Amino acid sequence: MVGLIVQAVEKHPAPEGMAYTYGTAGFRTKAEVLDSVLTRVGLIAALRSRSLKGKWIGVMITASHNPPSDNGVKLVEPMGNMLQEDWEKLSTTMANKATPDDVLEYYREIAETQHINLDAPARVVVARDTRASGARLLGCLVDGLKAAGAEYKDYGFLTTPQLHYMVRCLNTEGQYDSYGTPTEKGYYEKFGAAFKHAMKGKKPSGGLIVDCANGVGGPKLNELIKYLPTKEEGGLDITVINDNVIKPESLNVDCGADYVKTNQRPPPSSKAGPNDRCCSLDGDADRVVYYFKDSSNTFRLLDGDRIATLVASFLGDLVRQAGLADKITIGVVQTAYANGAATKYVEQHLKLNVECTPTGVKYLHHAAEKFDVGVYFEANGHGTVVFSDSTLRRIQKHVPGSLGQKEAWDVLRATVELINQAVGDALSDMLLVELVLAHKHWTVNEWLATYDDLPNRLLKVTVSDRNIFKTTDAERRLVSPPGVQANIDQEVQKVRQGRSFARASGTEDAVRVYAEAATRAEADGLANKVASLVKHAGAV
Ligand code: NG1
Ligand code: ZN
């Protein structure tokens, strides 16, 4: 093994002057400087699996919504969760080891400090999105896996959530909590059947146009459609657009969830008419946002906050109608980027608990796990619903007291099956939204009418060192640089329904400023004021 590790690391030398960090989305940067990282990630994945006595660990090669020339890699824990935080640190240190000797020494050090038996089995599953650099990076990863003596399964192209699904299935195979069959067909069958069952013959109103960002979600959605009830059977009428994966340079270009959310407009390729229901996935299909143009041709976004409120209200109704209201509590988890109107709607109208966490899915997921049913979404469309084990058992064991209760209970059980509980999954989330709209007999206009978003603005400020911006209270208040928060507070006081915060981005070299207020002019004015406070504070 020693010789093999040295050989693999020699084959993929680290470029000089690079500093890699395992951030909220794993390692992500220009694809051309990632070879050495992938080989080292192969070693880390093998160690992580061995530390868990040979449980399957996932490795996904993707850079999500980033441009086609980027790529990235992230690790997946056995139940399909994001990598544990202390292993993020180990991964970062390993990625920055330059020479084969340094890598080998650190490999042994991890084994020692983590009490890992290097003779234990190591099992790793890998998949990638459709980027041109994916095949080469896969080769670099496999060299690391082989050198570490890991058994590996390559699923080829998958969406990120599909890979998470495979990992969870492989680790629960044959157990009481078996998540499903660890094949692509198994994934489509599970979610297709759950959707059909939960729909209970309800007819969706109108069709759905799905923009797949020219990413891996395109071919996977086209496959999933084969497992859904057909249009003739009263199923969904889906039109797939931007599913060109033959031209990887078109990935995320003028399309996809990030384009739509950032530019507040549909992809130029969309031929949707007024009130046509549309949604966009991101490049690896773990984010989805809905939108439409209203009768006066105004663009209307239905983002992650909207999906969370829609789903939470539906689950609340089902739990009540099934006679489970006093046994199951539902909570909604958001970040500071959630629109204030969404938070108010959940608390005051839906009367559910809301928790706010720092940005990053791992924080939201963790907070959601504390509720019986935890609905979590980032405003940008990344999220899912998690059900605790005891809640799942309570739902299963429930004896409905009437025919009405039984109806709701049936739909609730099928809805649980429809939700990818390992991770936010754009395809599963999309089916969930379609399910709720069909059950509520709602069009996009009725969904939009549930509350009015406060006008808001998100700005990016470049400073010389973003790390001096430190926050508290789920990133809503700055503790450093000193004095800046007091100035922000003063500006917030000057506008109606004002709220604003600044935090260092975890994925870009910038500080993000968010502001919302009663009117567009006040929100923009507040955002600009706070941005200049940040700029000034960052200039020292
Ligand atoms: P940063 O760059 O830390 O703000 C961004 C998104 C997050 C999340 C991560 C990727 C915003 C404001 N931030 O994080 O929600 O999606 O990228 O994991 O959208
Ligand atoms: Zn993504």
Side-chain angles (χ1 to χ4, degrees):
M1 197 190 292
V2 172
L4 292 176
I5 291 179
V6 169
Q7 264 176 31
V9 176
E10 264 170 1
K11 191 171 159 194
H12 306 292
E16 267 176 43
M18 289 293 302
Y20 302 100
T21 311
Y22 195 103
T24 36
F27 295 107
R28 196 182 288 185
T29 183
K30 290 277 154 254
E32 72 222 29
V33 293
L34 273 171
D35 292 28
S36 63
V37 174
L38 268 287
T39 307
R40 286 154 178 77
V41 165
L43 302 177
I44 288 282
L47 285 169
R48 182 66 183 136
S49 174
R50 288 196 170 109
S51 78
L52 298 166
K53 306 201 163 49
K55 288 220 166 79
W56 289 95
I57 290 294
V59 180
M60 182 72 200
I61 303 174
T62 177
S64 185
H65 60 274
N66 284 38
S69 54
D70 287 6
N71 215 327
V73 60
K74 46 191 170 188
L75 289 149
V76 179
E77 292 278 337
M79 288 306 274
N81 300 340
M82 307 279 171
L83 184 64
Q84 205 173 287
E85 216 158 328
D86 49 344
W87 279 82
E88 289 184 359
K89 296 200 183 90
L90 300 176
S91 305
T92 295
T93 308
M94 180 61 107
N96 291 300
K97 294 287 175 199
T99 67
D101 284 347
D102 289 349
V103 170
L104 189 61
E105 196 186 312
Y106 193 56
Y107 182 85
R108 287 179 172 144
E109 190 184 317
I110 296 177
E112 205 176 304
T113 53
Q114 302 291 319
H115 312 291
I116 296 168
N117 172 7
L118 287 175
D119 296 324
R123 299 190 179 93
V124 179
V125 295
V126 304
R128 60 191 156 109
D129 71 15
T130 50
R131 283 161 204 271
S133 57
R136 188 191 79 239
L137 293 176
L138 173 69
C140 304
L141 172 73
V142 167
D143 284 343
L145 291 171
K146 281 185 180 159
E151 176 192 340
Y152 74 93
K153 233 186 231 284
D154 173 17
Y155 277 94
F157 300 111
L158 287 183
T159 69
T160 294
Q162 283 182 322
L163 190 263
H164 286 249
Y165 164 90
M166 297 305 172
V167 174
R168 189 165 174 142
C169 290
L170 285 165
N171 285 309
T172 55
E173 225 173 355
Q175 290 173 198
Y176 76 96
D177 57 350
S178 161
Y179 196 58
T181 312
T183 59
E184 255 194 86
K185 189 163 180 278
Y187 172 94
Y188 302 125
E189 279 174 351
K190 178 182 167 101
F191 293 104
F195 180 72
K196 193 169 174 177
H197 189 174
M199 282 291 272
K200 287 238 161 206
K202 293 272 182 312
K203 303 264 179 299
S205 115
L208 172 69
I209 299 169
V210 189
D211 154 31
C212 297
N214 289 323
V216 65
K220 302 308 176 189
L221 172 59
N222 283 319
E223 199 54 35
L224 173 64
I225 288 173
K226 297 178 190 160
Y227 295 78
L228 300 175
T230 61
K231 203 164 90 184
E232 290 70 35
E233 290 165 341
L236 290 175
D237 177 10
I238 298 181
T239 306
V240 180
I241 63 167
N242 299 324
D243 60 341
N244 184 358
V245 290
I246 308 298
K247 234 177 92 188
E249 63 275 20
S250 62
L251 174 68
N252 297 324
V253 176
D254 287 342
C255 58
D258 206 59
Y259 173 89
V260 170
K261 169 97 180 146
T262 312
N263 297 289
Q264 300 275 317
R265 60 168 174 261
S269 54
S270 172
K271 301 206 169 38
N275 302 313
D276 280 349
R277 193 162 70 249
C278 307
C279 71
S280 285
L281 321 180
D282 74 340
D284 62 339
D286 61 355
R287 269 167 66 177
V288 61
V289 291
Y290 270 71
Y291 52 93
F292 67 104
K293 277 189 178 166
D294 67 15
S295 305
S296 55
N297 228 22
T298 305
F299 175 79
R300 303 290 194 166
L301 183 69
L302 295 152
D303 63 2
D305 297 347
R306 294 278 180 177
I307 298 176
T309 52
L310 182 77
V311 168
S313 100
F314 180 64
L315 289 173
D317 289 348
L318 284 181
V319 163
R320 227 178 353 265
Q321 288 158 9
L324 282 158
D326 52 342
K327 299 198 185 82
I328 295 175
T329 56
I330 301 175
V332 174
V333 184
Q334 305 176 322
T335 70
Y337 292 105
N339 196 282
T343 311
K344 196 166 149 199
Y345 177 78
V346 177
E347 284 176 336
Q348 296 183 3
H349 185 86
L350 301 179
K351 303 205 184 316
L352 301 175
N353 295 315
V354 178
E355 200 178 316
C356 183
T357 71
T359 305
V361 169
K362 67 178 174 209
Y363 298 112
L364 287 116
H365 192 97
H366 192 65
E369 280 177 336
K370 291 190 204 129
F371 291 106
D372 295 341
V373 179
V375 180
Y376 77 84
F377 273 88
E378 291 191 305
N380 64 20
H382 196 156
T384 189
V385 184
V386 287
F387 297 82
S388 73
D389 283 346
S390 59
T391 304
L392 290 175
R393 278 196 298 275
R394 209 162 285 155
I395 293 173
Q396 281 315 328
K397 277 203 224 136
H398 182 59
V399 182
S402 67
L403 216 63
Q405 284 196 357
K406 176 159 185 324
E407 281 268 298
W409 180 58
D410 277 345
V411 177
L412 179 62
R413 283 183 304 160
T415 306
V416 171
E417 283 292 303
L418 179 62
I419 298 170
N420 189 335
Q421 285 176 61
V423 74
D425 181 338
L427 296 178
S428 149
D429 288 342
M430 180 192 87
L431 292 180
L432 180 61
V433 168
E434 293 301 310
L435 172 78
V436 179
L437 293 179
H439 271 272
K440 287 183 180 281
H441 304 287
W442 275 6
T443 64
V444 273
N445 280 295
E446 278 138 345
W447 181 10
L448 184 75
T450 46
Y451 62 85
D452 289 326
D453 270 322
L454 285 171
N456 59 90
R457 183 66 64 201
L458 183 61
L459 297 177
K460 219 161 50 178
V461 185
T462 318
V463 293
S464 51
D465 179 11
R466 75 186 200 273
N467 297 316
I468 62 169
F469 290 84
K470 298 206 186 324
T471 57
T472 182
D473 189 20
E475 303 181 327
R476 288 173 290 193
R477 298 189 65 78
L478 280 174
V479 288
S480 144
V484 184
Q485 186 59 49
N487 292 335
I488 295 178
D489 290 344
Q490 271 186 6
E491 293 304 330
V492 169
Q493 291 303 318
K494 293 180 192 161
V495 301
R496 289 165 301 154
Q497 292 176 271
R499 187 169 72 89
S500 180
F501 65 93
R503 57 172 277 278
S505 158
T507 60
E508 283 180 78
D509 191 11
V511 173
R512 292 194 204 284
V513 168
Y514 175 88
E516 65 184 30
T519 60
R520 160 71 38 225
E522 284 169 297
D524 286 351
L526 180 58
N528 288 327
K529 287 268 174 47
V530 174
S532 69
L533 288 172
V534 166
K535 187 100 204 149
H536 185 73
V540 280

